[in-house]
Coordinates of all heavy atoms in Angstrom, one line a residue:
M2 N 2.4 17.4 -22.9 CA 1.8 18.4 -21.9 C 1.3 17.9 -20.6 O 1.4 18.6 -19.5 CB 0.7 19.1 -22.7 CG -0.6 18.4 -22.8 SD -2.0 19.2 -21.8 CE -3.3 18.0 -21.7
T3 N 0.9 16.7 -20.5 CA 0.3 16.2 -19.3 C 1.3 16.0 -18.3 O 1.0 16.3 -17.2 CB -0.5 14.9 -19.6 OG1 0.5 14.0 -20.3 CG2 -1.6 15.0 -20.4
T4 N 2.4 15.5 -18.6 CA 3.5 15.3 -17.5 C 4.0 16.5 -16.9 O 4.5 16.7 -15.9 CB 4.6 14.4 -18.0 OG1 5.1 15.1 -19.2 CG2 4.2 13.0 -18.3
Q5 N 3.9 17.7 -17.8 CA 4.4 18.9 -17.3 C 3.3 19.9 -16.6 O 3.6 20.8 -16.0 CB 5.0 19.8 -18.5 CG 6.0 19.1 -19.3 CD 7.3 18.9 -18.3 OE1 7.6 19.7 -17.6 NE2 7.9 17.7 -18.4
S6 N 2.1 19.4 -16.7 CA 1.0 20.2 -16.1 C 1.1 20.2 -14.7 O 1.5 19.3 -14.0 CB -0.4 19.8 -16.6 OG -0.6 18.4 -16.1
P7 N 0.8 21.4 -14.1 CA 1.0 21.4 -12.5 C 0.0 20.4 -11.9 O -1.0 20.2 -12.3 CB 0.5 22.9 -12.3 CG -0.2 23.3 -13.5 CD 0.2 22.6 -14.7
W8 N 0.6 20.0 -10.8 CA -0.2 19.0 -9.9 C -1.3 19.9 -9.1 O -1.0 20.8 -8.4 CB 0.6 18.3 -8.9 CG 1.5 17.3 -9.6 CD1 2.1 17.3 -11.0 CD2 2.0 16.1 -9.0 NE1 2.9 16.2 -11.1 CE2 2.7 15.5 -10.0 CE3 1.8 15.3 -7.8 CZ2 3.5 14.3 -9.7 CZ3 2.4 14.3 -7.5 CH2 3.3 13.6 -8.5
P9 N -2.5 19.4 -9.1 CA -3.6 20.1 -8.5 C -3.2 20.0 -6.9 O -2.6 19.0 -6.5 CB -4.8 19.3 -8.7 CG -4.6 18.6 -10.0 CD -3.1 18.3 -10.0
E10 N -3.8 20.9 -6.1 CA -3.6 20.8 -4.7 C -4.1 19.4 -4.2 O -5.1 18.9 -4.7 CB -4.4 22.0 -4.1 CG -4.0 22.3 -2.7 CD -4.8 23.4 -2.1 OE1 -5.5 24.0 -2.9 OE2 -4.9 23.7 -0.9
N11 N -3.4 19.0 -3.2 CA -3.8 17.7 -2.5 C -3.5 16.4 -3.4 O -3.7 15.4 -3.0 CB -5.3 17.6 -2.3 CG -5.9 18.6 -1.4 OD1 -5.0 19.1 -0.5 ND2 -7.0 19.1 -1.5
T12 N -2.8 16.7 -4.5 CA -2.3 15.5 -5.3 C -1.2 14.9 -4.6 O -0.2 15.5 -4.3 CB -2.0 15.9 -6.7 OG1 -3.1 16.5 -7.4 CG2 -1.6 14.7 -7.5
V13 N -1.2 13.6 -4.3 CA -0.3 12.9 -3.6 C 0.7 12.0 -4.5 O 1.8 11.5 -4.2 CB -0.7 12.1 -2.4 CG1 -1.2 13.0 -1.3 CG2 -1.8 11.0 -2.8
A14 N 0.1 11.6 -5.7 CA 0.8 10.7 -6.7 C 0.1 11.0 -7.9 O -1.0 11.3 -8.2 CB 0.6 9.3 -6.2
R15 N 0.9 10.7 -9.0 CA 0.5 10.9 -10.4 C 1.0 9.7 -11.3 O 2.2 9.3 -11.2 CB 0.8 12.2 -10.9 CG 0.6 12.4 -12.5 CD 0.7 13.8 -12.9 NE -0.5 14.6 -12.6 CZ -0.7 15.9 -13.1 NH1 0.3 16.5 -13.6 NH2 -1.8 16.5 -12.8
Y16 N 0.1 9.2 -12.1 CA 0.5 7.9 -12.9 C 0.3 8.4 -14.4 O -0.7 9.0 -14.6 CB -0.2 6.7 -12.7 CG 0.3 6.1 -11.3 CD1 -0.3 6.6 -10.2 CD2 1.1 5.0 -11.2 CE1 0.1 6.1 -8.9 CE2 1.4 4.5 -10.0 CZ 1.0 5.0 -8.9 OH 1.3 4.5 -7.6
L17 N 1.3 8.1 -15.2 CA 1.1 8.4 -16.6 C 0.5 7.1 -17.4 O 1.1 6.0 -17.3 CB 2.5 8.7 -17.2 CG 2.4 9.1 -18.7 CD1 1.7 10.4 -19.0 CD2 3.9 9.2 -19.2
T18 N -0.6 7.4 -18.0 CA -1.2 6.2 -18.8 C -0.5 6.0 -20.1 O 0.2 6.8 -20.7 CB -2.7 6.4 -19.0 OG1 -2.8 7.4 -20.0 CG2 -3.5 6.8 -17.8
V19 N -0.7 4.8 -20.7 CA -0.2 4.5 -22.1 C -0.8 5.4 -23.1 O -0.2 5.7 -24.2 CB -0.3 3.0 -22.4 CG1 0.6 2.1 -21.6 CG2 -1.7 2.6 -22.3
G20 N -1.9 5.9 -22.9 CA -2.6 6.9 -23.8 C -2.1 8.3 -23.7 O -2.4 9.2 -24.5
G21 N -1.2 8.6 -22.6 CA -0.7 9.9 -22.5 C -1.4 10.8 -21.5 O -1.1 11.9 -21.4
A22 N -2.5 10.3 -20.8 CA -3.1 11.0 -19.8 C -2.5 10.8 -18.6 O -1.5 10.0 -18.4 CB -4.7 10.6 -19.8
T23 N -3.0 11.3 -17.5 CA -2.5 11.1 -16.1 C -3.6 10.6 -15.3 O -4.8 10.9 -15.5 CB -1.9 12.5 -15.5 OG1 -2.9 13.3 -15.5 CG2 -0.7 12.8 -16.2
V24 N -3.3 9.8 -14.3 CA -4.2 9.4 -13.2 C -3.6 10.1 -11.9 O -2.6 9.9 -11.5 CB -4.2 7.9 -13.0 CG1 -5.2 7.5 -11.9 CG2 -4.6 7.1 -14.4
D25 N -4.5 10.9 -11.3 CA -4.1 11.7 -10.1 C -4.6 11.0 -8.9 O -5.9 10.8 -8.8 CB -4.6 13.0 -10.2 CG -3.7 13.9 -11.3 OD1 -2.6 13.4 -11.6 OD2 -4.2 15.0 -11.7
I26 N -3.8 10.9 -7.9 CA -4.3 10.4 -6.6 C -4.3 11.7 -5.7 O -3.4 12.4 -5.5 CB -3.3 9.4 -5.9 CG1 -2.9 8.3 -6.8 CG2 -4.0 8.8 -4.6 CD1 -3.9 7.4 -7.3
T27 N -5.6 11.9 -5.1 CA -5.7 13.1 -4.3 C -6.4 12.6 -3.0 O -7.0 11.6 -2.9 CB -6.6 14.2 -5.0 OG1 -7.9 13.5 -5.3 CG2 -6.0 14.7 -6.1
H28 N -6.1 13.5 -1.9 CA -6.9 13.3 -0.7 C -8.1 14.1 -0.7 O -8.1 15.3 -1.1 CB -6.0 13.7 0.5 CG -4.9 12.6 0.7 ND1 -3.9 12.8 1.6 CD2 -4.7 11.3 0.2 CE1 -3.1 11.8 1.6 NE2 -3.6 10.9 0.8
D29 N -9.3 13.6 -0.4 CA -10.5 14.3 -0.6 C -11.4 13.9 0.6 O -11.1 13.0 1.4 CB -11.2 13.8 -1.9 CG -12.1 14.9 -2.5 OD1 -12.3 16.0 -1.8 OD2 -12.4 14.8 -3.7
T30 N -12.5 14.6 0.6 CA -13.5 14.3 1.7 C -14.6 13.5 1.1 O -15.0 13.7 -0.2 CB -14.2 15.7 2.3 OG1 -14.6 16.5 1.2 CG2 -13.1 16.4 3.0
R31 N -15.2 12.6 1.9 CA -16.2 11.6 1.3 C -17.5 12.3 1.1 O -18.2 12.2 0.2 CB -16.3 10.5 2.3 CG -17.3 9.4 1.8 CD -17.5 8.4 2.9 NE -16.4 7.7 3.2 CZ -15.9 6.5 2.8 NH1 -16.5 5.9 1.8 NH2 -14.7 5.9 3.2
Y32 N -17.9 13.1 2.1 CA -19.1 13.9 2.1 C -18.9 15.4 2.1 O -17.9 15.8 2.6 CB -20.1 13.5 3.2 CG -20.3 12.0 3.2 CD1 -19.9 11.3 4.3 CD2 -21.1 11.4 2.3 CE1 -20.0 9.8 4.3 CE2 -21.3 10.1 2.3 CZ -20.8 9.3 3.3 OH -21.0 7.9 3.4
V33 N -19.8 16.1 1.5 CA -19.7 17.6 1.4 C -19.5 18.1 2.9 O -18.7 19.1 3.0 CB -20.9 18.2 0.8 CG1 -20.9 19.8 0.8 CG2 -21.1 17.7 -0.6
G34 N -20.1 17.7 3.8 CA -19.9 18.2 5.2 C -18.8 17.8 5.9 O -18.4 18.2 7.0
D35 N -18.0 16.9 5.4 CA -16.7 16.5 5.9 C -15.7 17.6 6.0 O -15.5 18.3 5.0 CB -16.0 15.3 5.4 CG -17.0 14.0 5.6 OD1 -17.8 14.0 6.5 OD2 -16.8 13.1 4.8
T36 N -15.0 17.9 7.2 CA -14.1 18.9 7.2 C -12.7 18.5 7.0 O -11.9 19.3 6.8 CB -14.2 19.6 8.7 OG1 -14.1 18.6 9.7 CG2 -15.6 20.3 8.9
Q37 N -12.3 17.3 7.2 CA -11.1 16.7 7.1 C -11.1 15.7 5.8 O -12.0 15.0 5.8 CB -10.5 16.1 8.4 CG -10.4 17.0 9.5 CD -9.2 18.0 9.3 OE1 -8.1 17.6 8.8 NE2 -9.5 19.2 9.9
P38 N -9.9 15.6 5.1 CA -9.9 14.5 4.2 C -10.0 13.2 4.8 O -9.4 12.9 5.9 CB -8.5 14.7 3.6 CG -8.0 16.1 3.9 CD -8.7 16.4 5.2
N39 N -10.8 12.3 4.1 CA -10.8 10.9 4.7 C -11.0 9.9 3.6 O -11.3 8.7 3.9 CB -12.2 10.9 5.7 CG -13.4 11.5 5.0 OD1 -13.5 11.7 3.8 ND2 -14.4 11.8 5.8
V40 N -10.7 10.2 2.4 CA -10.7 9.2 1.3 C -9.5 9.6 0.4 O -9.1 10.7 0.3 CB -11.9 9.1 0.5 CG1 -13.1 8.6 1.3 CG2 -12.3 10.6 -0.2
S41 N -8.9 8.6 -0.2 CA -8.0 8.7 -1.3 C -8.7 8.4 -2.5 O -9.5 7.4 -2.7 CB -6.8 7.7 -1.1 OG -6.1 7.9 0.1
H42 N -8.6 9.4 -3.4 CA -9.4 9.4 -4.7 C -8.5 9.3 -5.8 O -7.6 10.1 -6.0 CB -10.2 10.8 -4.8 CG -11.0 11.0 -5.9 ND1 -12.2 10.2 -6.2 CD2 -10.8 11.8 -7.0 CE1 -12.6 10.6 -7.4 NE2 -11.8 11.5 -7.9
A43 N -8.7 8.4 -6.8 CA -7.9 8.3 -7.9 C -8.8 8.5 -9.1 O -9.8 7.9 -9.2 CB -7.3 6.8 -8.1
Q44 N -8.4 9.5 -10.0 CA -9.1 9.9 -11.1 C -8.3 9.9 -12.3 O -7.3 10.4 -12.4 CB -9.7 11.3 -10.9 CG -10.4 12.0 -12.0 CD -11.8 11.4 -12.2 OE1 -12.6 11.4 -11.3 NE2 -12.0 10.8 -13.4
C45 N -8.9 9.1 -13.3 CA -8.2 9.2 -14.7 C -8.5 10.4 -15.4 O -9.8 10.8 -15.4 CB -8.4 8.0 -15.5 SG -7.6 8.0 -17.1
N46 N -7.6 11.2 -16.0 CA -8.0 12.4 -16.8 C -8.1 12.2 -18.2 O -8.4 13.1 -18.9 CB -6.9 13.5 -16.5 CG -6.8 13.9 -15.0 OD1 -7.8 14.4 -14.5 ND2 -5.7 13.7 -14.4
G47 N -8.1 10.9 -18.7 CA -8.3 10.6 -20.0 C -9.6 10.0 -20.2 O -10.1 10.1 -21.3
C48 N -10.1 9.4 -19.2 CA -11.5 8.6 -19.4 C -12.2 8.9 -18.0 O -11.5 9.3 -17.0 CB -11.3 7.2 -19.7 SG -10.8 6.2 -18.3
P49 N -13.4 8.4 -17.8 CA -14.2 8.8 -16.7 C -13.9 7.8 -15.5 O -14.5 7.9 -14.4 CB -15.6 8.6 -17.1 CG -15.6 8.6 -18.5 CD -14.3 8.0 -19.0
A50 N -12.9 6.9 -15.6 CA -12.6 5.9 -14.6 C -12.1 6.5 -13.3 O -11.3 7.6 -13.4 CB -11.6 4.9 -15.1
Y51 N -12.5 6.1 -12.1 CA -12.1 6.6 -10.9 C -12.3 5.6 -9.8 O -13.1 4.7 -10.0 CB -12.8 7.9 -10.5 CG -14.2 7.7 -10.0 CD1 -14.5 7.5 -8.8 CD2 -15.2 7.7 -11.1 CE1 -15.9 7.3 -8.4 CE2 -16.5 7.5 -10.7 CZ -17.0 7.3 -9.5 OH -18.2 7.2 -9.1
T52 N -11.7 5.8 -8.6 CA -11.9 4.9 -7.6 C -11.7 5.7 -6.3 O -11.0 6.7 -6.2 CB -11.0 3.7 -7.5 OG1 -11.5 2.7 -6.5 CG2 -9.6 4.0 -7.3
H53 N -12.5 5.3 -5.2 CA -12.2 5.9 -3.9 C -11.8 4.8 -2.9 O -12.3 3.6 -3.0 CB -13.6 6.3 -3.3 CG -14.2 7.7 -3.9 ND1 -13.5 8.8 -3.9 CD2 -15.2 7.8 -4.6 CE1 -14.3 9.7 -4.5 NE2 -15.3 9.2 -5.0
S54 N -10.9 5.2 -2.0 CA -10.5 4.2 -0.9 C -10.7 5.0 0.4 O -9.9 6.0 0.5 CB -9.1 3.8 -1.1 OG -9.0 2.7 -2.0
G55 N -11.6 4.6 1.2 CA -11.7 5.2 2.5 C -10.7 5.0 3.5 O -10.2 3.9 3.5
W56 N -10.3 6.0 4.2 CA -9.3 5.9 5.2 C -9.7 5.1 6.4 O -10.9 5.2 6.8 CB -8.8 7.2 5.6 CG -8.1 8.0 4.6 CD1 -8.0 7.7 3.3 CD2 -7.4 9.2 4.7 NE1 -7.5 8.7 2.5 CE2 -7.0 9.6 3.4 CE3 -7.2 10.2 5.7 CZ2 -6.4 10.8 3.2 CZ3 -6.6 11.3 5.5 CH2 -6.1 11.7 4.3
A57 N -8.8 4.5 7.1 CA -9.1 3.8 8.3 C -9.0 4.7 9.4 O -8.1 5.6 9.4 CB -8.1 2.6 8.5
A58 N -9.9 4.7 10.3 CA -9.8 5.7 11.5 C -8.9 5.1 12.6 O -9.2 3.9 12.8 CB -11.2 5.9 12.0
H59 N -8.1 5.9 13.1 CA -7.3 5.4 14.3 C -7.5 6.4 15.3 O -7.1 7.6 15.2 CB -5.8 5.3 13.8 CG -5.5 4.1 12.9 ND1 -5.7 2.8 13.2 CD2 -5.2 4.1 11.6 CE1 -5.3 2.1 12.1 NE2 -5.1 2.7 11.2
A60 N -7.9 5.9 16.5 CA -8.0 6.8 17.7 C -8.8 8.0 17.4 O -8.5 9.2 17.8 CB -6.5 7.1 18.2
G61 N -9.7 7.9 16.5 CA -10.6 9.0 16.2 C -10.1 10.0 15.3 O -10.7 11.0 14.8
R62 N -8.8 9.7 14.7 CA -8.3 10.6 13.7 C -8.1 9.9 12.4 O -7.8 8.9 12.2 CB -6.8 11.0 14.1 CG -6.8 11.8 15.3 CD -5.4 12.1 15.8 NE -4.5 12.6 14.6 CZ -4.2 13.8 14.5 NH1 -4.7 14.7 15.4 NH2 -3.5 14.2 13.6
W63 N -8.7 10.6 11.3 CA -8.8 10.0 10.0 C -7.3 10.1 9.4 O -7.0 9.3 8.5 CB -9.7 10.8 9.1 CG -11.1 10.3 9.5 CD1 -12.0 11.1 10.3 CD2 -11.9 9.2 9.1 NE1 -13.2 10.5 10.4 CE2 -13.2 9.3 9.6 CE3 -11.6 8.0 8.4 CZ2 -14.2 8.4 9.5 CZ3 -12.6 7.1 8.1 CH2 -13.9 7.3 8.7
D64 N -6.6 11.2 9.7 CA -5.3 11.4 9.0 C -4.2 10.4 9.3 O -3.3 10.4 8.6 CB -4.8 12.9 9.3 CG -4.7 13.1 10.7 OD1 -5.2 12.4 11.5 OD2 -4.1 14.2 11.1
N65 N -4.5 9.5 10.2 CA -3.5 8.5 10.4 C -3.8 7.2 9.5 O -3.0 6.4 9.6 CB -3.5 8.1 11.9 CG -2.9 9.0 12.8 OD1 -2.1 9.9 12.4 ND2 -3.3 9.1 14.1
G66 N -5.0 7.2 8.9 CA -5.3 6.0 8.2 C -5.2 6.1 6.6 O -5.7 5.2 6.0
S67 N -4.5 7.1 6.2 CA -4.4 7.3 4.8 C -3.5 6.3 4.0 O -3.6 6.0 2.9 CB -4.0 8.7 4.4 OG -2.6 8.9 4.9
A68 N -2.5 5.6 4.8 CA -1.5 4.8 4.1 C -2.0 3.7 3.3 O -1.8 3.4 2.1 CB -0.4 4.3 5.2
G69 N -3.0 3.0 4.0 CA -3.6 1.8 3.3 C -4.5 2.2 2.1 O -4.4 1.5 1.0
A70 N -5.2 3.3 2.4 CA -6.1 3.8 1.3 C -5.2 4.3 0.0 O -5.4 4.2 -1.1 CB -7.0 4.9 1.8
D71 N -4.1 5.0 0.5 CA -3.3 5.4 -0.6 C -2.7 4.2 -1.4 O -2.6 4.4 -2.6 CB -2.0 6.3 0.1 CG -2.3 7.7 0.3 OD1 -3.5 8.1 -0.2 OD2 -1.6 8.3 1.0
S72 N -2.2 3.2 -0.7 CA -1.7 2.2 -1.6 C -2.7 1.4 -2.3 O -2.4 0.9 -3.5 CB -0.8 1.2 -0.7 OG -1.6 0.7 0.3
A73 N -4.0 1.4 -1.9 CA -5.0 0.8 -2.8 C -5.3 1.6 -3.9 O -5.5 1.2 -5.0 CB -6.3 0.6 -1.8
A74 N -5.4 3.0 -3.8 CA -5.7 3.9 -4.8 C -4.4 3.7 -5.8 O -4.7 3.8 -7.0 CB -5.8 5.3 -4.3
C75 N -3.3 3.8 -5.4 CA -2.1 3.7 -6.2 C -2.1 2.4 -7.1 O -1.7 2.4 -8.2 CB -0.8 3.9 -5.4 SG -0.5 5.6 -4.9
A76 N -2.4 1.4 -6.4 CA -2.5 -0.1 -7.0 C -3.6 0.1 -8.2 O -3.3 -0.3 -9.3 CB -2.8 -1.1 -6.2
W77 N -4.7 0.7 -8.0 CA -5.7 0.9 -9.0 C -5.2 1.7 -10.1 O -5.2 1.5 -11.3 CB -6.9 1.5 -8.4 CG -8.0 1.7 -9.4 CD1 -9.0 0.7 -9.7 CD2 -8.3 2.8 -10.2 NE1 -9.7 1.2 -10.7 CE2 -9.4 2.5 -11.0 CE3 -7.6 4.0 -10.3 CZ2 -9.9 3.4 -12.0 CZ3 -8.2 4.9 -11.3 CH2 -9.2 4.6 -12.1
A78 N -4.5 2.8 -9.7 CA -4.0 3.8 -10.7 C -2.9 3.2 -11.6 O -2.9 3.3 -12.8 CB -3.4 5.0 -10.1
Q79 N -2.0 2.4 -11.0 CA -1.0 1.6 -11.7 C -1.5 0.6 -12.7 O -1.2 0.8 -14.0 CB -0.1 0.9 -10.8 CG 0.9 0.0 -11.4 CD 2.1 0.8 -11.9 OE1 2.5 1.7 -11.4 NE2 2.5 0.5 -13.2
S80 N -2.6 -0.1 -12.3 CA -3.1 -1.1 -13.3 C -4.0 -0.4 -14.3 O -4.0 -0.8 -15.4 CB -3.8 -2.2 -12.5 OG -5.2 -1.9 -12.3
H81 N -4.7 0.7 -13.9 CA -5.5 1.4 -14.9 C -4.5 2.0 -15.9 O -4.8 2.0 -17.0 CB -6.4 2.4 -14.2 CG -7.2 3.2 -15.3 ND1 -8.4 2.6 -15.7 CD2 -7.2 4.5 -15.8 CE1 -8.9 3.5 -16.6 NE2 -8.2 4.6 -16.6
A82 N -3.6 2.8 -15.5 CA -2.6 3.4 -16.3 C -2.0 2.4 -17.4 O -1.6 2.8 -18.5 CB -1.4 4.1 -15.6
E83 N -1.8 1.2 -16.9 CA -1.1 0.3 -17.9 C -2.1 -0.2 -19.1 O -1.6 -0.6 -20.0 CB -0.8 -1.0 -17.1 CG 0.5 -0.9 -16.2 CD 0.7 -2.1 -15.3 OE1 -0.2 -3.0 -15.3 OE2 1.7 -1.9 -14.6
T84 N -3.4 0.0 -18.8 CA -4.3 -0.4 -19.9 C -5.2 0.8 -20.6 O -5.7 0.6 -21.6 CB -5.4 -1.4 -19.3 OG1 -6.0 -0.7 -18.2 CG2 -4.7 -2.7 -18.9
C85 N -5.2 2.0 -20.0 CA -6.0 3.0 -20.5 C -5.4 3.7 -21.7 O -4.3 4.1 -21.6 CB -6.2 4.0 -19.4 SG -7.4 5.4 -20.0
R86 N -6.1 3.7 -22.8 CA -5.5 4.3 -24.0 C -6.4 5.5 -24.4 O -6.0 6.1 -25.4 CB -5.5 3.2 -25.3 CG -4.6 2.1 -24.9 CD -4.4 1.2 -26.1 NE -3.2 0.2 -25.8 CZ -2.0 0.5 -26.0 NH1 -1.6 1.7 -26.4 NH2 -1.1 -0.5 -25.7
A87 N -7.1 6.0 -23.5 CA -7.8 7.2 -23.7 C -6.8 8.4 -23.8 O -6.0 8.5 -22.9 CB -9.0 7.5 -22.7
M88 N -7.0 9.3 -24.7 CA -6.1 10.4 -24.6 C -6.7 11.7 -24.0 O -7.9 11.9 -24.1 CB -5.6 10.8 -26.1 CG -4.7 9.7 -26.8 SD -4.4 10.2 -28.4 CE -3.4 11.6 -28.2
P89 N -5.8 12.5 -23.4 CA -6.5 13.7 -22.8 C -6.9 14.7 -23.9 O -6.3 14.7 -24.9 CB -5.3 14.3 -22.0 CG -4.1 13.7 -22.6 CD -4.5 12.4 -23.1
K90 N -8.1 15.3 -23.7 CA -8.6 16.3 -24.6 C -7.6 17.5 -24.6 O -7.2 18.0 -23.6 CB -9.9 16.8 -24.1 CG -11.0 16.9 -25.1 CD -12.4 17.1 -24.5 CE -13.4 17.4 -25.5 NZ -14.7 17.6 -24.8
P91 N -7.3 18.0 -25.8 CA -6.5 19.2 -25.8 C -7.1 20.3 -25.1 O -8.3 20.5 -25.1 CB -6.3 19.5 -27.3 CG -6.6 18.1 -28.0 CD -7.5 17.5 -27.1
A92 N -6.3 21.1 -24.4 CA -6.9 22.2 -23.7 C -7.4 23.3 -24.6 O -6.8 23.5 -25.6 CB -5.9 22.8 -22.7
Ligands
ZN130 ZN1 -8.5 6.1 -18.1

């Protein structure tokens, strides 16, 4: 069910854990008042583990800086997915 479930809006990557859950990488805002995405957020859906990677600002624009944060979040997701055995709760 997890691999077939729809990707939430803003999801840029998804990893399947050994426990059968997913780790989703999304673009998110760091603070409630932020109007543009400025962090890459990785969240495991099987356990509470997550990480944030802040984007680098380039010429005052946050949206040019996501590449490094995405690869950091994806690297975390990859290594978490390899070891996380928590199973997703049935819906
Ligand atoms: Zn996990």
Side-chain angles (χ1 to χ4, degrees):
M2 80 109 191
T3 51
T4 53
Q5 298 300 318
S6 61
W8 289 30
E10 200 182 341
N11 299 330
T12 302
V13 293
R15 171 172 277 185
Y16 290 77
L17 180 66
T18 71
V19 290
T23 55
V24 182
D25 288 344
I26 315 292
T27 54
H28 287 168
D29 210 345
T30 51
R31 187 185 300 264
Y32 302 111
V33 176
D35 291 343
T36 54
Q37 296 290 324
N39 51 19
V40 293
S41 296
H42 177 71
Q44 172 74 59
C45 181
N46 293 303
C48 76
Y51 69 93
T52 190
H53 286 299
S54 283
W56 295 6
H59 291 293
R62 291 173 56 98
W63 288 99
D64 55 349
N65 290 333
S67 64
D71 278 349
S72 55
C75 286
W77 180 90
Q79 173 74 40
S80 88
H81 182 77
E83 285 170 0
T84 55
C85 182
R86 295 192 172 272
M88 290 180 65
K90 224 173 176 177

